[in-house]
Every structure is written in C-alpha cells, then in structure tokens.
Amino acid sequence: MLFSGTSRTIESYLLDLSHCTEFRERNGVTRRLYTAAWKQAQSLILDWMCEANLDPWIDAVGNVHGRVEGFSDQTILTGSHLDTVVDGGAYDGAYGIIAGIMALGEIKSRQIPLSRSLEVVALCEEEGSRFPMTCWGSRALLGKISREDLALQDAEGVSVSEAMQSCGLSPHEIDWTPSYHYRGFVELHIEQASQLESAHCPIGVVNTIFGQERWNVTVIGESVHAGTSRIVNRHDALVAASEMVLSVYRLAQQYEDKAIGTVGLLQVQNGTSNCVPGHVNFTVDLRAQNDALRESLASELQSMFTECGRRYGVEIVVDPYTSVNAVSMNVELQNLIQKAAHSQRLNTLLLDSRAGHDAQILGTTIPTAMIFVPSYQGLSHHVNEFTKKEDLINGQNVLREVLERAANGMFS
Ligand code: HGY
Ligand code: MN
Ligand code: MN
C-alpha cells in the first residue's frame, strides 16, 4: 500500500513499475506510449494515487492526475513521464511520478493546511520512442497538440489515434484549448549525466534545459549490382549517409560542452548484401545550450549534407520533425529548492540539462524548476541506469518540502 503506515520504499515502487515493460525477456524497460505495458503502468499509477487518497482522474490523452486541495484556486504541479525509450532504465520519468505521489500522499495524510492546491501528474509520453513526436502529455496540458498529431504513425503504421483507442481513450474527448491553469511546476528527475556524482553532490538545481531538434534524413541513390557496377558510376546512398553521420559526430566533438549531435537510427531500405544501397534513412538528434547556436549548427550540417549529396550523386531530404527551444528555469523556484535542500543539510549544484524534459515544455508557459539526483556513472537510456537509495530519498524529501513551501506562499 502506498500510504497505509507501512511505508514501502520508493525503490519497491520503482521495481514494480519497471515490470510494466514490453519485453519481459530482455534487460531494461521498454514502455512506449499506448502499448499494453504502458496501459498496465497507467493502471498501477492510478491504483497508487487512489491508495494515497489523491482522488485521481485520467485526462483525454491518458495523463493520470492526483490532487490535494488547497484554499485558493491556484495549483502547484509536479510529476514526470510514464513512457520510456526502448531498453531504457527504471528511473527516467518513473522516479518523478512516484516521488510526487508519495509527497502528496504524505502531505494529505498529515492534513497540512495548504493555501494553494498540489497536483501530481503521470504524463503519458515524453520520449518520442514510438511516434515521431515528443512530450505529447505535457503539450496536451498546454493545448499545444494538434489534430495532425493524431494521424502520426509508428513503425508498424499504427496511428496515434488508433493506439489511443486501443487503450480505451477517445481522441474526440481531447480538449484542444484546455482549461488547466498551473501556478508552478517542479519536476524531480535523475540527472542522466555524471556532474553530481563527480562533485559528490546530492541535489542538482537545473539552470537551463538545452534546446533540441530531431530530423528524419532520407538519402536516395540507386540500387545496382554489387559486382558489376563500377564505383565511379554508383549513387551509393549508404556511403553518402555514412559520411553525413561522421559529419554529425565531428560537429559534436567540436562543440561538446555547448552542443551535441547524435545519429541514433539508420536503416537501409530493402538492403541485400549483393546490391549497392539505393535508399537510406537516418535520424539526427541535435541539441544546444541556446537556440541561436543550435540554428547555426543546423544550417552548417545541412550545407554539409547538400555538399555530400552533390559528391555522391544522391538526393537528400531532411525532415526536421520536432524542435523544442532551450528553456531557463524559474529563479524563485530554484531558490526555493536550494533553501529546502540546505535546510535538510544537503548541498546543491546549479547545472544545465542536456537531456530534454517535460519541464522544457511546461517552462515555456508556467514558472518551472527541476530537481536532479545523481545517476550512477551518468548512465541513462541504458539498462544499467541506477540511483542509490539515499539519493532517491534525498530527492523525495527535497521535493516534498519544496511543494509544501510553494503551496504555502513561499513562492510569490
Ligand atoms: O531525449 C531526451 O533527452 C529525453 O530523455 N527524452
Ligand atoms: Mn526523462
Ligand atoms: Mn529519457
């Protein structure tokens, strides 16, 4: 029971939630949006919010909300995302949800009078691991999703709309201009890098979240006989794509602290060993500390790609399908986090996040801040993602104190 006096540890909840995975036979956690594993996790979260007496409800896109009512009509929100990458870890997203439920459950059980209400949300999707979109749950809260999103398809050709309905959700019930009004948002998350671990610091206070954009790149050459075609006459899509992949890598090497680029997926269409590849797709994930730098790197990369296309006689189509701006966190909430941590004799470190988060979406409209806890060897999106119990509990205690303070006027 989440809140019945027998206080289960946060680790036991994380373990239960990690069992909601698409591939039980594989290591790691795979919980992509609107899959059966995702639906199973959503039900578990609903049960835990019920046990914590948070009067939970599920909104039209599948976000699960729980509340503790305060006197005013203002609400402070906390939470994180329920989905994961493929073969990811047990902490990314899940930790912020469970710690939020435990914090609100404890505040509710102690019947602390609150001037503002508190709400925790399990956001349905952030990773972009199934459909070519990201942050579907947090964008829905802000009315920043579109009817076109419903037609987006996964690799098997299943649309968002069809996948929603397979989970008992109805696209017709989406409120395209939602009435949610939040006074602030605080997201607790693992750092997914190793700055806190290297600095032996238990609590991170996020300063800026890097902006990021993701491209689908299609390279169209000509598939010909691998034995009889001469190199000079080839339009080899894979050789051209390989050179473009290396140009992303070299740019990342050059700008590492301020920007980073990755090619995470590359597919040869209908490839066979005895044919020159005629059609290749690959993705680019480009991030930077500020949007001006990201834009200039994006145009530098696209010029390199155009030059590569000319050299190998292939056509290149770049589809920048998502883009999220860099967002600076709210200073008042950052100070609140520092005060709460220091009152618990925990040091803090101000740091940037190269990982994207729902806070990056909500922070465009609502005063927002993030609390980080250390990640073992900085690993994340990795089967060995891990955070020590004491670090998990430190983060949970700081979050609870920040929410109490923010709900009781210590945040203007
Ligand atoms: O990709 C990211 O940075 C985040 O984990 N979705
Ligand atoms: Mn995350
Ligand atoms: Mn992630």
Side-chain angles (χ1 to χ4, degrees), residues 262-281:
T262 311
V263 173
L265 181 73
L266 183 143
Q267 289 164 319
V268 177
Q269 302 296 326
N270 311 322
T272 58
S273 63
N274 60 350
C275 290
V276 174
H279 191 131
V280 170
N281 288 94

Side-chain angles (χ1 to χ4, degrees), residues 81 92-93 126-127 189 192 356-357:
H81 57 95
D92 180 0
E126 182 266 350
E127 297 286 6
H189 204 286
Q192 300 180 292
H357 297 285

Side-chain angles (χ1 to χ4, degrees), residues 14 80 89 103 117 126 137 161 206 236 258 261 283 330-331 335 342 363 409:
L14 284 163
S80 195
S117 301
E126 182 266 350
S161 174
V206 175
D236 189 326
K258 299 268 182 239
T283 59
N330 176 274
V331 174
N335 295 337
H342 298 158

Side-chain angles (χ1 to χ4, degrees), residues 92 126-127 192 212 214 285 287 354-356 381:
D92 180 0
E126 182 266 350
E127 297 286 6
Q192 300 180 292
Q212 60 171 280
R214 299 186 190 178
D285 174 312
R287 307 177 186 216
R354 293 174 19 169
H381 290 189

Side-chain angles (χ1 to χ4, degrees), residues 10 95 344 388-398:
I10 190 160
Y95 173 52
Q344 297 179 24
K388 291 190 311 230
K389 177 175 182 176
E390 64 185 287
D391 289 331
L392 293 172
I393 292 171
N394 284 338
Q396 193 185 341
N397 290 337
V398 170

Side-chain angles (χ1 to χ4, degrees), residues 113-223:
L114 301 172
S115 52
R116 292 182 175 123
S117 301
L118 290 172
E119 188 171 311
V120 55
V121 63
L123 293 159
C124 62
E125 190 279 343
E126 182 266 350
E127 297 286 6
S129 49
R130 180 176 182 187
F131 299 101
M133 63 179 191
T134 61
C135 300
W136 174 249
S138 45
R139 286 192 293 121
L141 290 191
L142 298 182
K144 292 187 174 178
I145 58 174
S146 69
R147 288 173 176 77
E148 290 71 31
D149 289 337
L150 292 172
L152 292 173
Q153 295 184 348
D154 67 7
E156 282 70 45
V158 177
S159 72
V160 171
S161 174
E162 289 160 342
M164 280 182 76
Q165 293 169 69
S166 74
C167 287
L169 296 165
S170 163
H172 304 298
E173 285 170 18
I174 291 176
D175 175 355
W176 299 100
T177 53
S179 54
Y180 295 107
H181 296 291
Y182 295 109
R183 180 67 191 80
F185 175 60
V186 182
E187 182 170 6
L188 174 62
H189 204 286
I190 53 171
E191 182 197 346
Q192 300 180 292
S194 50
Q195 292 184 74
L196 290 176
E197 186 179 62
S198 312
H200 304 289
C201 184
I203 298 291
V205 181
V206 175
N207 196 25
T208 300
I209 304 176
F210 275 31
Q212 60 171 280
E213 55 189 88
R214 299 186 190 178
W215 307 347
N216 257 326
V217 182
T218 304
V219 184
I220 302 159
E222 186 185 28
S223 179

